[in-house]
Amino acid sequence: MSFRASVLTLFPEIFPGPLGASLAGRALAGGLWALEAVDIRGFAVDRHRSVDDTPYGGGAGMVMRADVVDRAVASVADGRTLIFLSPRGRRLEQRRVAALAGEDGVVLLAGRYEGIDERAIEARGFEELSVGDYVLSGGELAAMVLLDAVVRLLPGVMGASASAEEESFSGGLLEYPHYTRPPVWEGRAVPEVLLSGDHAAIAAWRRAEAERITRERRPDLLAGTVASRAGAP
Ligand code: 4FV
């Protein structure tokens, strides 16, 4: 059974959007995964079909109603992991992406306005995940980011040519620099070792470059990697 994703949103029409193109799109068309976008407004009950209301305690903006959101969740809940995309969530990382790709699917809740009544999140024990420390106008793009990262790891999606093994974060390090033809561009040459055919030397150069770049740009990633022990005095 292929990976099944359900996204609860007030804008189902924006899906699949970019997930319908390229790698994820081909995989979707090929049945390697499935996506349904469920309109939360379809679970509103009052004649104005309202999904939000003013915040208790005052303050700007509107809050999505727990009763409406929970009816939408109930319509798709079947044991798959429940994720609420929110800036309060744990930062989404490759390790969590890889774990989700090993599951049979996921339910993603995309908020709008100021957010969702806390009780709806608590009641279902949603896992909260954030795609970054900035505020989006809605959780939909965050849901697409998560799905794009997960789908490319699903069996049969990334051809043999591309490997998930050798990319950023896979070994806890940032990626080494890549080069292709022409061998000299604008007076800039490709590092000699890459033209040497000496695979051991190439692998050593790439490892050293990955460690150097990680040390310079994301030393936080080094804690816990082999490199940190090697580099440490
Ligand atoms: C977000 C993030 C995010 C907050 C208010 C939607 C918005 C609005 N989601 N990672 N960063 N969500 O900014 O996941 O409802």
Side-chain angles (χ1 to χ4, degrees):
M1 166 91 112
S2 64
F3 186 89
R4 279 183 320 109
S6 301
V7 182
L8 304 172
T9 169
L10 289 173
F11 297 93
E13 68 278 8
I14 70 172
F15 290 87
L19 297 171
S22 179
L23 205 63
R26 282 194 297 279
L28 197 57
L32 295 178
W33 72 295
L35 173 65
E36 64 171 340
V38 175
D39 187 351
I40 295 171
R41 197 175 294 283
F43 297 87
V45 289
D46 66 327
R47 60 192 170 77
H48 304 297
R49 300 184 79 221
S50 47
V51 299
D52 60 327
D53 208 327
T54 53
Y56 279 123
M62 300 292 273
V63 175
M64 293 174 73
R65 293 174 58 108
D67 52 354
V68 176
V69 168
D70 194 70
R71 275 193 290 273
V73 177
S75 76
V76 296
D78 58 3
R80 287 172 290 165
T81 298
L82 300 174
I83 292 175
F84 172 42
L85 289 305
S86 115
R88 290 187 328 184
R90 191 156 44 87
R91 175 75 64 78
L92 179 64
E93 293 183 350
Q94 193 66 18
R95 199 188 351 262
R96 187 75 187 104
V97 167
L100 287 169
E103 298 181 9
D104 63 0
V106 69
V107 172
L108 303 177
L109 176 56
R112 281 274 160 173
Y113 314 114
E114 297 314 304
I116 294 179
D117 186 305
E118 189 68 17
R119 296 168 291 180
I121 307 303
E122 284 164 359
R124 298 267 178 182
F126 271 89
E127 173 185 355
E128 285 195 54
L129 288 176
S130 170
V131 291
D133 295 345
Y134 40 81
V135 180
L136 301 168
S137 58
E140 286 80 9
L141 292 180
M144 289 183 184
V145 164
L146 181 150
L147 287 174
D148 185 89
V150 168
V151 165
R152 61 192 295 280
L153 299 182
L154 296 176
V157 174
M158 262 212 288
S161 64
S163 73
E165 271 69 52
E166 284 219 328
E167 58 190 16
S168 286
F169 311 111
S170 56
L173 295 176
L174 297 181
E175 217 158 332
Y176 50 76
H178 297 286
Y179 299 85
T180 187
R181 277 183 280 277
V184 180
W185 174 74
E186 303 268 326
R188 299 164 183 271
V190 170
E192 273 307 309
V193 64
L194 298 179
L195 309 174
S196 69
D198 177 342
H199 298 300
I202 291 167
W205 178 88
R206 284 175 167 170
R207 173 79 191 187
E209 281 293 284
E211 286 172 5
R212 175 183 65 77
I213 291 165
T214 306
R215 197 169 290 115
E216 284 166 12
R217 300 182 191 185
R218 292 288 308 279
D220 60 295
L221 288 175
L222 284 177
T225 64
V226 181
S228 65
R229 282 191 290 287

